[in-house]
Amino acid sequence: MAVETTDWNVTDHLNSDAAILAYLEAVFEDGDPALIAAALADVAKVRGIAEQPKPRPDIPLDSVIRTLKALGLKLTAKAA
């Protein structure tokens, strides 16, 4: 008996500010630059930003901060 699977897209579940925040917090906690870039692209898609950023792990931090501001978010730090 074969197992049936369905496609899962994170953007289908980013339907509130709280969901977006939880998603970004988890991604930033992981710390993988490629994953962070992909998550920012996901949020841009959900927020309807016309030109979605392409995931690139070599983007400088200031570009990430500008992107977050464009999405209505801000980057903060907390003690581990």
Side-chain angles (χ1 to χ4, degrees), residues 25-72:
E25 284 178 344
V27 169
F28 274 95
E29 186 175 308
D30 179 89
D32 178 1
L35 188 59
I36 292 169
L40 290 174
D42 291 338
V43 174
K45 180 179 179 183
V46 169
R47 292 287 174 115
I49 293 178
E51 188 176 327
Q52 298 170 19
K54 295 199 180 353
R56 287 185 32 214
D58 61 335
I59 296 174
L61 182 59
D62 62 327
S63 294
V64 172
I65 292 170
R66 281 195 305 276
T67 302
L68 288 171
K69 286 182 181 179
L71 296 172

Side-chain angles (χ1 to χ4, degrees), residues 1-42:
M1 174 183 252
V3 175
E4 288 188 35
T5 61
T6 57
D7 289 336
W8 188 85
N9 189 332
V10 69
T11 60
D12 295 338
H13 305 278
L14 298 177
N15 51 11
S16 69
D17 288 344
I20 290 171
L21 180 60
Y23 177 52
L24 290 176
E25 284 178 344
V27 169
F28 274 95
E29 186 175 308
D30 179 89
D32 178 1
L35 188 59
I36 292 169
L40 290 174
D42 291 338

